[in-house]
Amino acid sequence: MTAPPTDDAAAAGRAPRGRMTAPPTDDAAHLPYTPPVRLVMAPDHLDLWLVRGPEPEALAGLLAAPELSARERERAAGFRRPRDAALYAAAHLALRRVLGGYLRVAPTDVPFVREPCPGCGGPHGRPALAHDGPPLHFSLGHSHGLALFAVAATVLGVDVQRVPGAATVGYVGRMLHPDERAELTARRPPPRHVFGQLWARKEAYLKALGTGLSRGTALDYVGADPTHRPPGWTFIDIPCGPEHQAAVALRGEWPARIRTRWLGAGAARTDHESKSGE
């Protein structure tokens, strides 16, 4: 199991802020990462955006998108596999376009910053937005052909993982909270999907705290019993297909509305909306 994906767009430079402009005309169908609706965030809502990874051949077109920063292009170029690089670029392009839609600014003008690290106070904590309007928070994760980012008016973290193999379950399972380990060892062999969902909750929570895996993974319980999870936080398991598992850790109560949308090449732009209690 690897460390959670970092939101490197948060450290990127940006052009002077300006008016929201239409995204540049895409020269191919592999750049459909523009939100299809007017975006408004209510205080008790949660919006989830899923991005299906493009084919490796799309990488050149993605890197040519003018919205991406030099830092984002550099990070994408650092991936060994073109497929992973294309997913990274697509996820960050979609994130910029979607956040620009909420903030009514151009994607290049999304005001990314880093909050102070809770551990050392350095400028590498949770990615955030520096703007004067109502609170708007986001979190991004991507793994093996799928990216997920969430947007809400309260602090949150997301994680998406490919369903782990048995070897990963055995190795990483030793790093869990004692009660989480007990839950897994009570079932032989430990179900991969049960472990994967638990780990997605854990990484989502650590990202919401702003610590990532620098905070010990055995400190906090996010297992099967919701009453024993960290107080003041809501954990939501996100269905995202048979090969991945995902979760959101949200400060506060269960949202009154959760809306899920897909973006990206080959992914239908469908909405799914659920309300509290459904």
Side-chain angles (χ1 to χ4, degrees), residues 97-165:
R97 289 182 176 179
V98 167
L99 292 179
Y102 287 108
L103 297 175
R104 308 291 184 262
V105 301
T108 52
D109 297 338
V110 174
F112 290 116
V113 295
R114 287 275 190 176
E115 295 183 347
C117 170
C120 68
H124 50 262
R126 182 176 52 237
L129 298 167
H131 71 111
D132 298 329
L136 191 71
H137 298 268
F138 74 96
S139 183
L140 166 67
H142 41 82
S143 175
H144 294 87
L146 185 67
L148 166 68
F149 57 93
V151 184
T154 187
V155 170
L156 78 167
V158 304
D159 187 60
V160 59
Q161 301 275 345
R162 186 169 64 175
V163 176

Side-chain angles (χ1 to χ4, degrees), residues 85-272:
L87 175 62
Y88 176 92
H92 284 262
L93 177 61
L95 179 68
R96 282 185 171 275
R97 289 182 176 179
V98 167
L99 292 179
Y102 287 108
L103 297 175
R104 308 291 184 262
V105 301
T108 52
D109 297 338
V110 174
F112 290 116
V113 295
R114 287 275 190 176
E115 295 183 347
C117 170
C120 68
H124 50 262
R126 182 176 52 237
L129 298 167
H131 71 111
D132 298 329
L136 191 71
H137 298 268
F138 74 96
S139 183
L140 166 67
H142 41 82
S143 175
H144 294 87
L146 185 67
L148 166 68
F149 57 93
V151 184
T154 187
V155 170
L156 78 167
V158 304
D159 187 60
V160 59
Q161 301 275 345
R162 186 169 64 175
V163 176
T168 299
V169 174
Y171 177 74
V172 183
R174 295 176 291 179
M175 306 176 188
L176 299 176
H177 186 280
D179 292 342
E180 294 169 343
R181 293 201 305 269
E183 291 176 4
L184 288 176
T185 56
R187 304 175 67 174
R188 288 294 183 185
R192 295 186 299 128
H193 285 76
V194 173
F195 171 84
Q197 195 62 65
L198 186 157
W199 191 262
R201 287 187 218 116
K202 188 173 292 287
E203 290 214 35
Y205 178 60
L206 296 178
K207 290 171 74 172
L209 293 179
T211 63
L213 293 174
S214 66
R215 179 179 172 87
T217 56
L219 294 177
D220 306 292
Y221 173 87
V222 294
D225 185 353
T227 64
H228 288 170
R229 295 173 186 169
W233 290 86
T234 294
F235 293 83
I236 305 170
D237 296 341
I238 308 300
C240 55
E243 297 180 356
H244 293 83
Q245 294 170 288
V248 174
L250 184 78
R251 182 179 290 167
E253 301 297 324
W254 191 280
R257 189 208 70 185
I258 303 173
R259 174 170 289 175
T260 304
R261 298 185 179 97
W262 286 85
L263 293 174
R269 293 185 178 183
T270 55
D271 288 9
H272 173 75

